Amino acid sequence: VLMSDPRVSLREITRETLRPILKLSVSEAQDEFVAPNSVSIAEAHFADDAWFRGIYAGEEPVGFVMLSLQPEKPQYYLWRFMIDHQYQHMGFGYRAMELVIDFVRSQPNAESLLLSYVKADGGPRDFYAKLGFADTGEEHNGEWLMRLEF
């Protein structure tokens, strides 16, 4: 059993680490909020702007993150973010998002990080708000946008 505070890291996904990342999933009740990691990784391979990593707690894969990196634009976009249902509410997601935010802040021209979420009970809005994201009031493809200004 993992303790709730082993070192969290973002790691490149390799041939050796792919399968464990593909096995991660959110709870059935959260399925509507995020695409499966297999879909995200497939999409990433056809997108020039995709940056994706496995989220690890110690040596254990616990989640997945994908960004759209377009350094010519001041806005970066959190495309996907998930923590496996077994590892939620242990602080891993919060720490991983802090690492993602630090990474984006270090990118050229970075002024803000955008994300979108599905408005529904049990959705991730409050989680993102705790990290400093604010609702923009804009809707895009049925999802609501939030922004973190740097």
Side-chain angles (χ1 to χ4, degrees), residues 1-140:
V1 172
L2 280 175
M3 294 178 17
S4 60
D5 61 359
R7 234 166 68 85
V8 173
S9 59
L10 307 177
R11 299 187 192 171
E12 253 184 269
I13 297 170
T14 64
R15 181 176 306 190
E16 293 74 32
T17 62
L18 177 62
R19 284 195 188 281
I21 296 295
L22 293 178
K23 287 180 182 171
L24 299 175
S25 64
V26 293
S27 69
E28 222 174 280
Q30 296 171 319
D31 277 346
E32 68 180 296
F33 303 138
V34 66
N37 293 342
S38 56
V39 171
S40 298
I41 292 169
E43 287 177 342
H45 281 286
F46 295 100
D48 294 336
D49 59 330
W51 178 93
F52 60 98
R53 296 290 184 268
I55 299 168
Y56 284 76
E59 293 304 309
E60 189 67 31
V62 298
F64 175 83
V65 61
M66 185 161 77
L67 297 169
S68 168
L69 297 186
Q70 298 178 34
E72 66 281 2
K73 294 182 179 178
Q75 286 185 335
Y76 287 72
Y77 185 75
L78 180 70
W79 195 347
R80 297 281 156 66
F81 183 80
M82 68 81 69
I83 297 293
D84 184 88
H85 63 98
Q86 298 177 79
Y87 301 112
Q88 292 181 9
H89 308 291
M90 298 171 89
F92 303 139
Y94 195 89
R95 182 65 193 122
M97 275 302 300
E98 288 179 326
L99 294 172
V100 167
I101 291 165
D102 288 347
F103 171 75
V104 173
R105 271 184 218 265
S106 75
Q107 296 303 297
N109 306 316
E111 292 177 10
S112 64
L113 177 59
L114 280 174
L115 60 82
S116 63
Y117 68 94
V118 175
K119 245 187 206 176
D121 287 343
R125 188 209 166 276
D126 293 345
F127 168 77
Y128 292 126
K130 273 190 250 173
L131 285 151
F133 285 85
D135 286 295
T136 67
E138 298 167 70
E139 188 182 359
H140 183 69

